[in-house]
Amino acid sequence: MDSWPPLIGDYVTALALTFADGAPRPYRARVILSPGNPNNSPDLIRIRTARQQQQRSRRREATTHHGATTVGRAFSCGCGRGIEFQVDFEGRNPQDPDYHGIKTLLQQLFLKAHIDLGGLTDLIISQNYVGSVVKQSEEIDESDDDEDSNDINDVFGITTVINVSDKQNILCIQQLRHLLKQLADEHATDAVNTMIKNVLENDAAQLGLLINERFVNIPAKISVPLLENLISELKRANNRNMPFNFSYYILICKLYKSEDKRAGKKAKSKNRNSTEPSILWSNSEEEIFAEEAIVSFEFSVEEEADSGLSGTWTETDDEMIPYRRVLLFEASKLQSIFDKIQNQFS
């Protein structure tokens, strides 16, 4: 092969995730990665750094046959158009070593919002009977050095629920409630603002914040077992009288809208109401949540973060502006939403 390691710059194009027999965890995913980055496609997060992958490759036997290389059990590649690799992911309940990985995922959602993300991460880990993290499987030799071992603590996704009606004495919960009210005040219509505030102020109708974050290069198919497992965990928690009996959920979604750079400012002003911008959902399955929402509102976060969609841009390309869309939906709809996601992405 002309270049090694082949995982540098690769991105996920397909994924299959299954649960282990007889147990909800751990589950593993087979991920197919293709090298390169087509023009104008997102620059996606890498599975490993170059140095880490080179260190791992030197410690494992590699065999080459007709353009195909196999490195241990971690992944394999085949010849043809592009190179395919098998990478094992596993899922389990959040644990203490996941702290920094979970916090990083929360940072990409909340950006510069005034939220104690460390406290929120601690809360997620403390309720480890609900929710899942997605990690690369720990197939590390004893000879692996500290830097490579630290790599296994990377968290590639987090799916969980936080009760924002309970434990209002906790700082991060107070900040979350204040943030939701502030965002609704600034960006929602009067009717939507009223609805959001009524739900937040009615503690008898418990409100859950659904957190569904992952690296941008993990396909929507992984959401099927994650959401299925979350629903099962919520049912078990309710059977034990834990505070997860929700009436509503709020989901903050990441999406991008196109801005036509070819049109001048004057032209854009005239056509603003005539042409709808194209929308790219960071997590594709969340579009189904949006279809079932009672109310929603959105706002641009262009000033707070990079678009996350860099690449080979030209003057004629549309610019993708990052947004957040806040969805409120009834808890009773979660199962039917999941069914639609399962039908579409399984």
Side-chain angles (χ1 to χ4, degrees):
M1 298 180 64
D2 294 332
S3 63
W4 187 263
L7 286 182
I8 299 175
D10 294 349
Y11 61 98
V12 176
T13 57
L15 181 146
L17 187 67
T18 56
F19 284 87
D21 292 338
R25 286 191 183 82
Y27 53 80
R28 284 192 173 182
R30 174 171 294 181
V31 184
I32 304 302
L33 299 152
S34 297
N37 187 16
N39 288 339
N40 305 331
S41 68
D43 283 336
L44 302 179
I45 300 172
R46 294 159 174 78
I47 296 295
R48 294 187 187 276
T49 68
R51 183 168 182 267
Q52 289 167 333
Q53 191 59 58
Q54 286 169 339
Q55 289 170 340
R56 291 177 69 83
S57 67
R58 285 195 298 265
R59 283 192 293 268
R60 298 187 178 201
E61 287 188 358
T63 60
T64 302
H65 179 66
H66 298 301
T69 301
T70 302
V71 182
R73 294 172 297 170
F75 50 81
S76 61
C77 67
C79 53
R81 183 180 179 182
I83 304 170
E84 294 185 349
F85 299 91
Q86 177 182 324
V87 179
D88 285 336
F89 281 165
E90 62 183 18
R92 57 164 171 73
N93 293 120
Q95 298 175 3
D96 289 338
D98 305 324
Y99 176 88
H100 293 291
I102 295 173
K103 186 177 178 181
T104 297
L105 289 170
L106 295 177
Q107 286 171 337
Q108 76 179 21
L109 175 65
F110 290 105
L111 300 176
K112 297 180 181 179
H114 186 59
I115 301 290
D116 176 16
L117 297 182
L120 183 56
T121 302
D122 285 333
L123 183 57
I124 289 172
I125 294 174
S126 71
Q127 58 172 41
N128 60 6
Y129 41 84
V130 169
S132 303
V133 292
V134 177
K135 300 172 66 67
Q136 197 164 348
S137 65
E138 301 181 16
E139 295 184 357
I140 306 297
D141 296 333
E142 292 181 359
S143 59
D144 287 0
D145 59 17
D146 291 339
E147 181 178 356
D148 199 31
S149 297
N150 288 338
D151 191 50
I152 67 175
N153 291 327
D154 289 344
V155 176
F156 291 87
I158 173 72
T159 299
T160 191
V161 175
I162 296 294
N163 190 331
V164 296
S165 299
D166 189 42
K167 299 182 178 179
Q168 295 185 29
N169 60 317
I170 299 178
L171 177 61
C172 64
I173 298 296
Q174 297 171 0
Q175 293 171 331
L176 280 170
R177 293 172 61 86
H178 176 76
L179 176 66
L180 292 170
K181 291 179 181 179
Q182 181 183 20
L183 293 175
D185 266 336
E186 295 176 357
H187 305 289
T189 64
D190 290 342
V192 172
N193 188 16
T194 299
M195 180 69 178
I196 296 291
K197 287 186 175 180
N198 286 343
V199 170
L200 283 168
E201 293 170 0
N202 181 14
D203 294 339
Q206 298 279 286
L207 174 64
L209 174 66
L210 178 58
I211 297 175
N212 183 47
E213 277 301 300
R214 61 179 181 268
F215 279 6
V216 69
N217 56 337
I218 307 296
K221 193 170 186 177
I222 201 172
S223 68
V224 175
L226 292 174
L227 290 171
E228 182 178 31
N229 205 53
L230 179 64
I231 291 172
S232 297
E233 290 172 330
L234 290 171
K235 290 178 180 178
R236 288 197 297 269
N238 286 326
N239 290 337
R240 298 173 183 175
N241 295 319
M242 294 178 176
F244 291 92
N245 186 18
F246 299 111
S247 298
Y248 298 95
Y249 291 106
I250 273 188
L251 175 64
I252 303 176
C253 309
K254 302 197 306 293
L255 53 90
Y256 303 87
K257 292 188 175 183
S258 63
E259 179 179 297
D260 192 348
K261 295 167 66 177
R262 292 168 292 186
K265 292 183 179 180
K266 186 174 181 179
K268 286 199 300 183
S269 178
K270 290 181 179 179
N271 297 327
R272 186 170 295 164
N273 296 326
S274 60
T275 304
E276 289 292 329
S278 61
I279 296 177
L280 174 65
W281 294 81
S282 181
N283 296 335
S284 301
E285 73 278 5
E286 292 177 352
E287 186 173 4
I288 298 176
F289 282 94
E291 295 170 356
E292 299 294 331
I294 303 172
V295 295
S296 66
F297 65 90
E298 65 183 38
F299 53 96
S300 171
V301 291
E302 183 179 12
E303 301 300 322
E304 298 182 42
D306 296 332
S307 70
L309 294 180
S310 56
T312 309
W313 298 96
T314 69
E315 292 183 358
T316 59
D317 291 326
D318 290 349
E319 183 179 358
M320 302 302 289
I321 307 300
Y323 277 76
R324 295 292 182 270
R325 183 176 295 184
V326 180
L327 311 176
L328 177 70
F329 62 96
E330 295 175 340
S332 59
K333 295 287 187 68
L334 182 58
Q335 182 63 54
S336 62
I337 292 172
F338 166 74
D339 292 339
K340 292 181 179 180
I341 292 173
Q342 186 177 40
N343 290 335
Q344 181 166 336
F345 295 106
S346 291

